[in-house]
Amino acid sequence: MPPKDDKKGGKSKQIQSAKAAAKGASSGGKQKKKKWSKGKKDAKSTNNVLFDKATYDALYKKVPATKLITASTVSGQLQITGSLAKKALRELAAKGLIKPVHQHSHQVIYTRATASA
């Protein structure tokens, strides 16, 4: 006599469904790929390495009127490189238009020269 068919879905059906679930969980090709870019990048601004007439005039007009003067602020305002900003600040200090507040080997902080000083 042949064996009876299990119509309730015995162990063989449970094993098949477990295998199908494991196969579906292990396949990772259905997800989207991770994007490493967070969006478009802004264009990097190129700073000038030499003074032109307009920038040099702006240096003598704007910078001595500022309270806190560092090479980075001058570089950002006038769109010049940091090394050019440092040399420009040394020139302004030598002419007496600004005065140093604190000198460090890497960073010098200047302020405007007041009439009483």
Side-chain angles (χ1 to χ4, degrees), residues 37-43:
S37 160
K38 298 296 181 195
K40 292 184 180 179
K41 302 292 180 192
D42 290 335

Side-chain angles (χ1 to χ4, degrees), residues 20-105:
K23 184 180 178 185
S26 66
S27 64
K30 294 175 184 169
Q31 294 179 346
K32 289 184 180 179
K33 282 195 166 186
K34 181 173 175 67
K35 291 185 180 178
W36 292 100
S37 160
K38 298 296 181 195
K40 292 184 180 179
K41 302 292 180 192
D42 290 335
K44 191 174 181 180
S45 63
T46 55
N47 292 337
N48 297 329
V49 293
L50 293 173
F51 280 116
D52 54 352
K53 181 69 175 156
T55 310
Y56 195 71
D57 292 340
L59 172 75
Y60 274 87
K61 187 177 180 183
K62 290 181 182 178
V63 173
T66 311
K67 265 188 180 178
L68 176 69
I69 305 165
T70 61
S72 58
T73 58
V74 173
S75 174
Q77 287 174 355
L78 301 178
Q79 296 297 311
I80 58 175
T81 59
S83 58
L84 187 61
K86 283 186 206 176
K87 291 186 182 202
L89 291 178
R90 282 189 215 120
E91 180 182 320
L92 290 174
K95 290 188 177 181
L97 296 172
I98 59 175
K99 64 178 184 176
V101 175
H102 180 73
Q103 279 190 311
H104 189 267
S105 60

